[in-house]
Amino acid sequence: MAKVNTGAALLSLCLLLACSAGGTTAADVDVEATVRTEVENAIKSNPGVGAALIRLVFHDCWVNGCDGSVLLDQTPSGSNTEKKAINNIGLDGFSLVDTIKSKLGNSVSCADIVVFAGRDAARYLSGGKIAYSVPSGRKDGIVSSAAAADAILPQSTFEFQQLKDNFAKKNFTQEELVILSGAHSIGVSHLSSFQDRLNDTTATPINDSYKQALVADIEAQKNSQNTQDPTEKNNIRDMSLKFQNDSGYDTTGVNTAAKGALDNSYYHANLQNRVLFKSDWVMRTDIKAGGDMAEYMNNATKWNNDFAATMVKLSKLPAEGSTHYEIRKNCRVTNQNQGF
Ligand code: HEM
Ligand SMILES: *[C@@H]1O[C@H](CO)[C@@H](O)[C@H](O)[C@H]1NC(C)=O
Ligand SMILES: *[C@@H]1O[C@H](CO)[C@@H](O)[C@H](O)[C@H]1NC(C)=O
Ligand SMILES: *[C@@H]1O[C@H](CO)[C@@H](O)[C@H](O)[C@H]1NC(C)=O
Ligand SMILES: *[C@@H]1O[C@H](CO)[C@@H](O)[C@H](O)[C@H]1NC(C)=O
Ligand SMILES: *[C@@H]1O[C@H](CO)[C@@H](O)[C@H](O)[C@H]1NC(C)=O
């Protein structure tokens, strides 16, 4: 387990200042335990932050590798950072990353915090069934571009071939695309990310009862969330009993009590045409991907294991594209820009 030995720093300070050894207690900060505690407490008070942290790993590591670039508000180049990308709509978890950073100080990179926090969210939201180790030692980059994030991240309107190509560029297989998409068992989406599915000119097959229930709920959400682009829950499992009944949702094999859980219920929903994104649905158009989805639907353990292994692979994508790497003092700005 990674430890930051603040003791050594305190000791040398004491030698310089000739202070008494008994005066200060040099505490080791246990990095991974600190991240885990902060993540679990945050999810307990705000369940939605867990989904945000898991998505953050994907959106950080896919663009320039795992380098904390998704966290930046400002870079030396002054261009719009990844946060401003259209594909990053709804991205969240930043203030929790700041809180964790404030507890860990200057020897832990923001990139490591993103990877550890996503890992701990996955473990917590799966009731401990998705548990994996990832190495530490990532460095933070100084490049972050909204245009690059929009060019590199996959979109919910992609065709199957586009999704496959997108994953292949990062050396991820079609099966790994199927596995990681299972993360859509949790969290929420904005209407703008799935409205193509509700429009007769652009719609890809979606169960009609589900679509009608969704359209009605969207109107209710526009009022209660007071916006024309409200969010809906990604997983029909997390919707009300009335919504599920109105949609004709078949709950066979789904643990409906486990609302908000990261599990294989995404495959049940997808194979019933009751998912939000076209990018989810299109995987059904491929015989091999459809078969893999059926396998994951029928074998929860297999998905837990394969999801964990693929998250490890994602968390190891090497940083690229920066001329210089550092451990940021503040996850939102490069060290060169501190104080601006
Ligand atoms: C395969 C291509 C993918 C596409 C096209 C896609 C697209 C999207 C979109 C459009 C949203 C909703 C954003 C919004 O409107 O607020 C979303 C949410 C989400 N995605 Fe994906 N995604 C993909 C893969 C992944 C992967 C690989 C992961 C993680 C391993 C992931 C995890 C999530 C999570 C957890 C949410 C919910 C976030 C929250 O509630 O804060 N997605 N995704
Ligand atoms: C590509 O992915 C495969 C399968 O996950 C892995 O075994 C291999 O090491 C990866 N290659 C590179 C160059 O990352
Ligand atoms: C449906 O999609 C078509 C084609 O993109 C667009 O012209 C039309 O405005 C959309 N209708 C609604 C109600 O959003
Ligand atoms: C929607 O699902 C219901 C219940 O499973 C089914 O009877 C109906 O045929 C489906 N309709 C469409 C258009 O998928
Ligand atoms: C469930 O749906 C059926 C029609 O599909 C409806 O008759 C019934 O009232 C619904 N029950 C609840 C509890 O919403
Ligand atoms: C489910 O997957 C696990 C892990 O891959 C495997 O060991 C087990 O045999 C599978 N169970 C069934 C019923 O196929």
Side-chain angles (χ1 to χ4, degrees), residues 48-59 62 87-92 153-158 163 166-167 176-177 179-194 229 231 234 262 277 279-280 283 307 311 314:
V49 80
L53 291 172
I54 292 168
R55 185 172 178 230
L56 208 50
V57 177
F58 179 48
H59 286 224
W62 220 240
N87 288 345
N88 277 330
I89 182 174
L91 210 63
D92 209 347
L153 289 165
Q155 291 169 24
S156 62
T157 50
F158 272 12
L163 291 171
N166 183 280
F167 270 56
E176 289 166 334
L177 163 68
I179 293 164
L180 286 183
S181 295
H184 293 161
S185 70
I186 55 171
V188 298
S189 168
H190 288 82
L191 170 61
S192 52
S193 297
F194 63 87
D229 193 17
T231 55
N234 282 334
L262 181 64
F277 307 135
S279 58
D280 293 323
M283 294 193 294
F307 184 75
M311 286 300 288
L314 180 62

Side-chain angles (χ1 to χ4, degrees), residues 199-202:
N199 179 331
D200 288 341
T201 18
T202 53

Side-chain angles (χ1 to χ4, degrees), residues 148-309:
D150 276 329
I152 294 167
L153 289 165
Q155 291 169 24
S156 62
T157 50
F158 272 12
E159 302 295 344
F160 184 65
Q161 189 62 47
Q162 291 176 294
L163 291 171
K164 267 188 9 174
D165 292 346
N166 183 280
F167 270 56
K169 275 191 192 143
K170 303 287 170 188
N171 185 40
F172 278 60
T173 63
Q174 170 181 318
E175 190 172 7
E176 289 166 334
L177 163 68
V178 169
I179 293 164
L180 286 183
S181 295
H184 293 161
S185 70
I186 55 171
V188 298
S189 168
H190 288 82
L191 170 61
S192 52
S193 297
F194 63 87
Q195 64 189 357
D196 58 298
R197 306 262 284 150
L198 307 174
N199 179 331
D200 288 341
T201 18
T202 53
T204 34
I206 180 167
N207 179 272
D208 199 52
S209 315
Y210 171 63
K211 183 177 141 185
Q212 297 312 322
L214 206 49
V215 166
D217 197 63
I218 286 163
E219 289 314 307
Q221 296 301 330
K222 280 181 181 171
N223 287 324
S224 64
Q225 295 178 31
N226 194 25
T227 167
Q228 288 303 300
D229 193 17
T231 55
E232 285 288 357
K233 296 186 169 84
N234 282 334
N235 193 339
I236 187 172
R237 175 205 58 199
D238 294 342
M239 300 300 281
S240 70
L241 269 179
K242 181 180 183 319
F243 182 99
Q244 293 178 357
N245 179 54
D246 290 349
S247 307
Y249 178 45
D250 179 356
T251 58
T252 310
V254 176
N255 181 2
T256 50
K259 292 212 186 290
L262 181 64
D263 65 16
N264 67 335
S265 59
Y266 161 84
Y267 302 99
H268 293 81
N270 201 355
L271 293 172
Q272 293 180 42
N273 280 0
R274 289 171 175 84
V275 284
L276 294 182
F277 307 135
K278 174 181 168 183
S279 58
D280 293 323
W281 177 79
V282 285
M283 294 193 294
R284 296 194 54 183
T285 61
D286 181 81
I287 290 176
K288 171 74 169 64
D292 287 342
M293 287 201 286
E295 191 175 7
Y296 288 120
M297 176 179 87
N298 291 320
N299 191 335
T301 307
K302 183 169 169 56
W303 184 72
N304 290 335
N305 294 344
D306 290 358
F307 184 75

